Amino acid sequence: MEVIGIVLLGLPMTLLVTAASFAFGAIGGIPLMLGLRSRHRVVRLAVRLVVDVIRGVPTIVWLFLLYFGFAIGVFRFSSLGAAIVGLGVISSAYLAEMYRGGFATLPKGQLEAAQALGLGRRTTFVRVLAPQALRTALPSAATYLMALIKDSSIASTVGVIEMVAAATAYSRQNPGTAGLTPFLAAAAVYVVISVPLAIATRRLDARLSRSHA
Amino acid sequence: MNQNLITESNEIAHAGVVIEHLSKSFGSNRVLDDISIIVKPGSVTALIGPSGSGKSTLLRCINLLETPDAGTVTVGSQVVTAGRRIPERELLALRRQVGMVFQSFNLFPHFSVLRNVAFPQERILGRSRAEAEERALTLLERVGLKDKAHHHPAQCSGGQQQRIAIVRALALSPRVMLFDEPTSALDPEVGVEVLAVMRELADAGMTMIVVTHEMQFAREVSDHLVVMADGHIVEEGDPAGIMADPQEERTRRFLNAVLER
């Protein structure tokens, strides 16, 4: 059972990388979403290109580029830094797309009602449109978060000692059939985190759709 | 609902609306062609006509939800001239005077009924939350919906939602109210509740412009009837007179179509 203990040593790092890069993406997605919704065609196209490029490059390539290929003067990314920024940038692009989708499905009447009441542009956006768009984006954002928990294992490729890295290290020291057990242990821990999250998301979604429709 | 909807509204001086030479095109489609209308303060004008006649667009030009290509819109002493980019300050000043009720209610689904009515007052009139909610509750009570204050719009029927939408607009003490087919999305029985509130508002002397297919309402409540088709005013005048004896063939055809349904 020591194997579970070893794998769990990586759990805090798994959670840290996931939470930090999701937070990065949740905030970074806002300016990208604004760009995707810009009134200016040039801005829209430029941001669209950025988002598609970010999403088009595999996660592991992003992490390698940041970790091995990025240097400004003496500045270089640490393992953890590269993992958080890399996964964060990718998350920004995906979440921007989800936010945009949330706004796109808002009934036109919501904007018009706010305008007709005489609410200013900022108030209309922040208090009327954004909460509804976020609510629409919530299920897909939660699904993305669950995928991100698992994708955080890619951080092991640049030297972050999260669960999969811990399992790999244990496996190398214990060849043979015992070598698979740390990965099974890691899989179990991922499931134990993901399933409750999925249940919580469905509950929240059901509660919101009852009252907010 | 014996008490008048706007009895405490001594702050309200109802404004007239003057539309002069208003034109609006969507692409090559000329939806409004040189329209001029005078709506006297405290009067009710009904806009009728087949779909695509431009009556909704005309209504939406009055609070600048649509930007007219040419012409002027005057509400009270506020004059807006079209044919240029209208600055937000001017838009807000005009909309401040004009309330609007939509066919699809457009309540904010993430707010409670109370917040729907109170929030705009806080933002636009700078009222405190307590003050705004007190006024909201007073108005909701007058349309028989005080018990819905802490529900969400989705938990209310269509007729209730539309009455809440009317209250939301009235809470800002508009000087003119615009109604864009307010009962078209409602069952006839439910529409009656909404029409009753509108009738009361008209009796209280609110200036109202109503796009509607409710001929009985137009005949009984409105002071002035405007018949539109293809972006033009076909005929206007006394509602009962026009309905009894339309002068124009286009009016006759439209009225027959509506009445035969």
Side-chain angles (χ1 to χ4, degrees):
Chain A
M1 273 293 103
E2 66 160 338
V3 62
I4 278 278
I6 302 268
V7 167
L8 282 177
L9 286 179
L11 178 61
M13 204 50 109
T14 290
L15 295 178
L16 175 64
V17 169
T18 306
S21 53
F22 190 76
F24 188 116
I27 294 165
I30 295 171
L32 289 178
M33 172 273 292
L34 292 173
L36 289 172
R37 288 173 46 79
S38 169
R39 272 183 290 181
H40 307 287
R41 197 179 136 80
V42 182
V43 176
R44 271 202 315 274
L45 288 177
V47 176
R48 161 64 47 212
L49 186 68
V50 168
V51 166
D52 286 350
V53 167
I54 292 174
R55 294 193 301 174
V57 175
T59 307
I60 192 166
V61 175
W62 273 118
L63 297 197
F64 279 12
L65 286 174
L66 288 175
Y67 186 63
F68 298 111
F70 186 88
I72 296 177
V74 292
F75 177 81
R76 287 183 165 279
F77 279 112
S78 64
S79 295
L80 185 60
I84 290 173
V85 172
L87 287 166
V89 166
I90 295 166
S91 300
S92 302
Y94 279 99
L95 287 167
E97 199 61 63
M98 292 171 207
Y99 293 156
R100 190 198 57 76
F103 280 97
T105 56
L106 283 182
K108 204 167 146 246
Q110 289 293 309
L111 172 63
E112 292 186 344
Q115 288 178 330
L117 285 165
L119 294 171
R121 280 173 49 155
R122 211 186 143 77
T123 306
T124 299
F125 184 81
V126 175
R127 300 298 304 276
V128 177
L129 304 181
Q132 298 186 56
L134 277 181
R135 194 255 157 277
T136 309
L138 182 75
S140 43
T143 305
Y144 182 76
L145 174 60
M146 281 186 278
L148 191 61
I149 293 172
K150 291 171 285 166
D151 280 356
S152 70
S153 62
I154 299 171
S156 66
T157 60
V158 292
V160 176
I161 310 300
E162 44 64 74
M163 286 203 292
V164 167
T168 307
Y170 182 89
S171 177
R172 289 215 176 107
Q173 286 158 21
N174 300 274
T177 45
L180 265 183
T181 51
F183 294 103
L184 289 173
V189 179
Y190 281 112
V191 169
V192 167
I193 302 168
S194 299
V195 171
L197 188 63
I199 293 171
T201 307
R202 273 195 297 274
R203 287 218 178 128
L204 180 63
D205 192 46
R207 215 184 69 204
L208 287 176
S209 55
R210 254 203 313 281
S211 60
H212 293 200
Chain B
M1 274 192 269
N2 295 327
Q3 222 182 338
N4 207 303
L5 261 178
I6 45 174
T7 30
E8 94 275 17
S9 61
N10 40 16
E11 79 260 35
I12 298 180
H14 297 299
V17 176
V18 180
I19 293 163
E20 290 166 290
H21 304 295
L22 202 73
S23 292
K24 171 76 182 172
S25 299
F26 292 120
S28 62
N29 182 17
R30 204 165 172 80
V31 191
L32 296 175
D33 190 8
D34 196 23
I35 300 276
S36 298
I37 295 180
I38 294 176
V39 176
K40 293 188 189 127
S43 74
V44 178
T45 295
L47 286 178
I48 65 170
S51 57
S53 59
K55 54 195 193 304
S56 277
T57 306
L58 175 59
L59 199 70
R60 294 158 57 83
C61 281
I62 297 173
N63 66 355
L64 301 173
L65 282 186
E66 302 290 353
T67 312
D69 299 331
T72 63
V73 174
T74 308
V75 175
S77 56
Q78 178 100 21
V79 186
V80 175
T81 309
R84 68 203 162 94
R85 197 167 176 280
I86 299 162
E88 191 180 28
R89 194 167 32 81
E90 213 173 311
L91 281 178
L92 295 183
L94 184 84
R95 287 172 182 161
R96 173 85 180 64
Q97 324 231 10
V98 182
M100 185 164 193
V101 173
F102 298 87
Q103 180 177 347
S104 50
F105 331 132
N106 298 347
L107 293 175
F108 302 137
H110 57 305
F111 284 166
S112 69
V113 168
L114 184 66
R115 295 303 300 152
N116 261 281
V117 183
F119 175 72
Q121 299 178 57
E122 293 160 23
R123 285 305 163 122
I124 294 155
L125 305 181
R127 289 191 177 134
S128 71
R129 184 165 177 148
E131 207 181 348
E133 293 191 345
E134 193 190 322
R135 174 158 168 85
L137 285 171
T138 307
L139 288 170
L140 285 170
E141 187 167 25
R142 295 208 188 139
V143 295
L145 292 173
K146 193 180 181 184
D147 58 324
K148 291 285 179 188
H150 297 287
H151 289 61
H152 275 269
Q155 296 165 302
C156 299
S157 72
Q160 291 170 337
Q161 289 191 50
Q162 193 61 301
R163 281 181 282 160
I164 295 160
I166 293 174
V167 161
R168 178 174 70 172
L170 286 180
L172 300 171
S173 309
R175 304 179 68 198
V176 173
M177 283 285 287
L178 310 177
F179 292 86
D180 191 1
E181 302 201 27
T183 58
S184 296
L186 301 172
D187 289 338
E189 292 168 52
V190 177
V192 169
E193 304 166 2
V194 172
L195 291 173
V197 172
M198 291 170 62
R199 214 177 265 262
E200 196 185 338
L201 203 54
D203 290 343
M206 175 65 81
T207 308
M208 293 165 57
I209 305 175
V210 186
V211 170
T212 188
H213 294 298
E214 305 271 359
M215 290 302 141
Q216 196 187 341
F217 179 85
R219 180 163 46 225
E220 291 173 9
V221 180
S222 69
D223 307 297
H224 191 73
L225 184 70
V226 176
V227 185
M228 291 185 67
D230 306 320
H232 297 274
I233 293 175
V234 177
E235 189 166 353
E236 63 177 316
D238 171 57
I242 290 179
M243 286 188 203
D245 182 23
Q247 298 301 304
E248 299 292 328
E249 169 56 26
R250 190 71 190 81
T251 309
R252 208 167 297 143
R253 245 194 303 153
F254 175 71
L255 288 175
N256 283 338
V258 174
L259 297 173
E260 269 168 27
R261 294 216 306 170

